[in-house]
């Protein structure tokens, strides 16, 4: 049997060996700090994957209920799910809180409505390519760091390349569809601003649930007018619920959490990943072509997003 080790004083080898342990603890602490910084980025990426595959699923049910009908199904189902899960309280909020959440709801309704009008007319990849110009513009306007402007410029280069998806370029797109996509981008920029404000004013996802209810109330009359009783078809309702979870409930919750820990400019540049994800989803789900030029554009966009995140981490470490 091994004898018990003697108690050590500060001058014993045992005490000297404590230093590597302290170094290990410091390394572990640094690793936890790195994980904490990368956590919001992972949330944004997961949200992007969810929302774009949800959009691809939505395209498959547009022939049944139209673009407005899909938006109505998506927002209404998402509002019901979030209200049941969050059970937000209606008391104890200031007028400013309510103005923020209503503006957030209007941005949600506008962003979704315009985007689905766009993908009803043009392919998913180019639609998101045009839409992401809104967040990119926001990142340039809000950021006070030259490096973020440079990363936004690189992302924009990738976005422009991706616009040639399928060989048609911007010139080959339906003008009305392109206009809807640009309008959705403006509303997306507003969504980023008001999502961050809502996240600071309301606990957990309560503000998102209330904003989603506002968006559903705005879209419901329009959807009923366009699709009518087709909205009540069981299979359509089931697909609409799937779109709601993939495109609204999951991604908006993840983004709300990310925006509590990410600056708006960094978040906006990360949104440039959306065209890459959308092109991939269009290829896998809708069998929309992806060329070598698309792959190059995707690489530029990913490089810009990674650079933006690294510059933000470096700033925090200064």
């Amino acid at each position: 049997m091994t004898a018990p080790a003697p108690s050590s004083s500060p001058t014993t080898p045992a005490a000297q060996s404590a230093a590597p342990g302290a170094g290990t603890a410091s390394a572990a602490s640094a690793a936890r700090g790195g994980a904490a910084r990368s956590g919001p980025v992972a949330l944004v990426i997961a949200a992007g994957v969810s929302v774009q595959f949800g959009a691809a699923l939505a395209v498959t049910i547009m022939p049944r209920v139209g673009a407005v009908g899909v938006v109505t199904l998506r927002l209404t189902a998402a509002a019901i799910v979030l209200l049941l899960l969050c059970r937000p309280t209606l008391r104890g909020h200031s007028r400013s809180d309510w103005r923020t959440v209503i503006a957030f709801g209007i941005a949600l309704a506008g962003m979704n409505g315009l985007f689905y009008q766009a993908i009803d007319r043009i392919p998913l990849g180019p639609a998101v390519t045009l839409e992401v110009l809104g967040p990119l513009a926001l990142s340039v306007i809000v950021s006070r760091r030259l490096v973020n402007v440079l990363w936004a410029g690189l992302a924009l280069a990738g976005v422009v390349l991706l616009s040639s998806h399928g060989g048609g370029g911007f010139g080959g797109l339906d003008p009305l569809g392109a206009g809807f996509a640009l309008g959705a981008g403006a509303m997306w920029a507003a969504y980023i601003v008001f999502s961050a404000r809502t996240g600071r004013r309301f606990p957990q996802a309560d503000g998102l649930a209330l904003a989603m209810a506002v968006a559903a109330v705005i879209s419901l009359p329009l959807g009923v007018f366009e699709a009518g009783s087709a909205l009540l078809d069981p299979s359509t309702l089931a697909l609409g619920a799937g779109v709601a979870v993939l495109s609204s409930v999951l991604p908006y919750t993840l983004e709300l959490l990310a925006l509590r820990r990410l600056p708006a400019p960094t978040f906006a540049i990360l949104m440039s990943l959306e065209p890459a994800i959308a092109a991939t989803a269009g290829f896998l789900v809708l069998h929309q072509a992806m060329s070598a030029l698309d792959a190059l554009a995707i690489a530029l966009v990913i490089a810009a997003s990674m650079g933006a995140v690294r510059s933000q981490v470096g700033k925090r470490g200064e």
Side-chain angles (χ1 to χ4, degrees), residues 157-185:
V159 164
V160 171
L161 278 178
L162 196 58
S163 70
S164 63
H165 178 93
F170 285 128
L173 298 179
D174 175 78
L176 185 58
F180 281 132
L182 290 171

Side-chain angles (χ1 to χ4, degrees), residues 84-288:
L84 289 175
L85 289 177
C86 299
R87 300 179 182 272
T89 178
L90 301 180
R91 298 181 178 180
H93 303 298
S94 67
R95 290 184 179 180
S96 180
D97 292 342
W98 283 113
R99 283 194 296 269
T100 298
V101 85
I102 289 171
F104 186 20
I106 293 171
L108 279 169
M111 179 177 68
N112 283 280
L114 292 169
F115 177 69
Y116 279 97
Q117 289 291 339
I119 62 175
D120 193 33
R121 293 167 171 83
I122 61 178
L124 181 61
V128 180
T129 299
L130 289 169
E131 185 190 26
V132 83
L133 294 178
L136 282 175
L138 177 68
S139 72
V140 173
I141 293 170
V142 174
S143 176
R144 297 181 179 178
R145 304 186 72 206
L146 177 61
V147 67
N148 276 352
V149 177
L150 296 176
W151 290 127
L154 181 60
L156 180 59
V159 164
V160 171
L161 278 178
L162 196 58
S163 70
S164 63
H165 178 93
F170 285 128
L173 298 179
D174 175 78
L176 185 58
F180 281 132
L182 290 171
M187 298 305 293
W188 196 356
Y191 159 83
I192 293 172
V193 172
F194 288 107
S195 179
R197 292 181 183 178
T198 300
R200 291 191 293 266
R201 290 174 178 269
F202 291 83
Q204 300 176 343
D206 287 11
L208 175 61
L210 294 171
M212 194 66 72
V214 172
V217 168
I218 293 171
S219 68
L220 189 58
L222 301 174
V224 170
F225 177 77
E226 178 171 297
S229 60
L231 292 172
L232 301 178
D233 178 75
S235 62
T236 302
L237 283 173
L239 288 171
V243 172
V245 172
L246 286 173
S247 294
S248 295
V249 176
L250 182 59
Y252 293 160
T253 301
L254 294 176
E255 289 175 359
L256 187 74
L257 295 174
L259 274 164
R260 287 174 176 167
R261 292 181 282 171
L262 275 180
T266 303
F267 181 89
I269 295 175
L270 281 171
M271 290 297 96
S272 62
L273 285 169
E274 297 281 354
I277 299 169
T280 303
F283 175 74
L284 294 175
V285 180
L286 303 175
H287 308 293
Q288 295 172 346

Side-chain angles (χ1 to χ4, degrees), residues 2-17:
T2 305
S7 60
S8 58
S9 66
T11 58
T12 64
Q16 294 172 1
S17 67

